[in-house]
Amino acid sequence: MNATRDRLIIFDIDGTLLLSGPVARELFLRAFEEVFEVAADPRDLSFAGRCDRGVVSLLLQRANASQKLPASFPRFARRYASLMREVYPTAKGPYLLPGVKDLLFALREDPSILLLIGSGNLPETARVKLARFGLDALFEHGVYGDRHEERTALFAAALALARETLGWSGAKERAWIVGDTVSDIEAAQEVGVKSLAVATGPTATDDLRRARPDALFADLSSLEDVLGVLVV
């Protein structure tokens, strides 16, 4: 715990730090069908801006099998994580987005900043994704989509973790959520912190702009400009 940490920056993963291609979605649906023993119906379902628990809940609703969620979700989480550990590290498709490593290393050098992951991924699958690109060691703590079905609850839990457990002592005006979806922006507004939107995910730049983030970048490659926003 570091009492001098008065800045908080919460990073989403998919579409913000990296892109996975189809592999993670394919493994998710495979684990879903194996564990819940119903057909997955992902038509018109974007995983962007969602929590994995919420996606499972929605797929079960479509299969008229919502009653299976409480008892079987832990088994689904274990199976999905196992598939990800087996396949993702060498799969074709995933890649790191521009400027991510330089930005994260620069932020880590500032002792006033607490970095957190706030991701709809499960904890284990988030670590698999980050580890492929050597980012896992940069984030000691996070809040994930195993316990929350929507983004506002996820980020509220991240703020509580930061303040109550990790020694973040700042005002909400010194907290940022960095994400790539309208859901990230709206959740930041609902919990009362700032948002930096990055147009490296599936959401169109104009849609992000209409949601009124506090800052909007095409990507994170302009280190000086991004730091000028996050560290003021």
Side-chain angles (χ1 to χ4, degrees):
M1 184 180 297
N2 188 335
T4 67
R5 287 178 170 174
D6 62 352
R7 294 184 177 92
L8 173 65
I9 306 175
I10 303 168
F11 280 90
D12 172 53
I13 295 177
D14 296 287
T16 301
L17 301 180
L18 57 89
L19 286 171
S20 291
V23 60
R25 181 186 177 99
E26 291 170 356
L27 296 176
F28 184 104
L29 296 174
R30 175 180 165 186
F32 176 90
E33 292 188 337
E34 288 181 8
V35 170
F36 293 106
E37 299 181 326
V38 295
D41 178 9
R43 290 175 298 172
D44 304 318
L45 175 60
S46 172
F47 284 29
R50 295 182 182 271
C51 296
D52 280 359
R53 189 179 185 93
V55 174
V56 168
S57 179
L58 180 56
L59 290 173
L60 287 173
Q61 289 175 32
R62 290 183 174 187
N64 295 313
S66 295
Q67 72 279 1
K68 294 188 176 186
L69 179 64
S72 297
F73 185 81
R75 192 157 58 92
F76 162 79
R78 291 192 297 271
R79 180 57 178 150
Y80 179 35
S82 175
L83 290 170
M84 284 287 287
R85 286 192 296 269
E86 177 185 349
V87 175
Y88 191 89
T90 57
K92 294 182 179 179
Y95 62 94
L96 192 65
L97 288 165
V100 166
K101 273 196 173 179
D102 288 344
L103 174 62
L104 294 179
F105 277 109
L107 293 172
R108 283 273 294 188
E109 291 178 356
D110 189 330
S112 72
I113 295 174
L114 173 63
L115 294 182
L116 284 183
I117 287 291
S119 168
N121 285 274
L122 305 179
E124 283 295 329
T125 59
R127 282 191 284 272
V128 170
K129 290 179 179 182
L130 294 172
R132 171 160 177 163
F133 302 102
L135 303 181
D136 51 323
L138 299 177
F139 294 97
E140 298 173 12
H141 304 279
V143 176
Y144 303 95
D146 57 331
R147 298 187 178 184
H148 308 283
E149 292 196 11
E150 49 84 26
R151 304 297 262 194
T152 300
L154 178 84
F155 291 134
L159 291 174
L161 174 67
R163 192 174 296 284
E164 297 169 10
T165 305
L166 302 178
W168 174 55
S169 58
K172 283 188 174 182
E173 292 76 15
R174 293 172 75 81
W176 287 84
I177 289 169
V178 182
D180 67 296
T181 70
V182 170
S183 295
D184 295 316
I185 299 167
E186 291 177 345
Q189 293 164 350
E190 289 179 20
V191 300
V193 303
K194 294 180 178 179
S195 62
L196 185 154
V198 58
T200 43
T203 306
T205 302
D206 286 345
D207 291 336
L208 293 172
R209 184 176 292 110
R210 278 191 288 270
R212 296 180 179 271
D214 295 279
L216 174 59
F217 288 89
D219 58 35
L220 297 174
S221 62
S222 180
L223 180 61
E224 183 176 350
D225 291 341
V226 175
L227 288 177
V229 169
L230 294 176
V231 185
V232 293

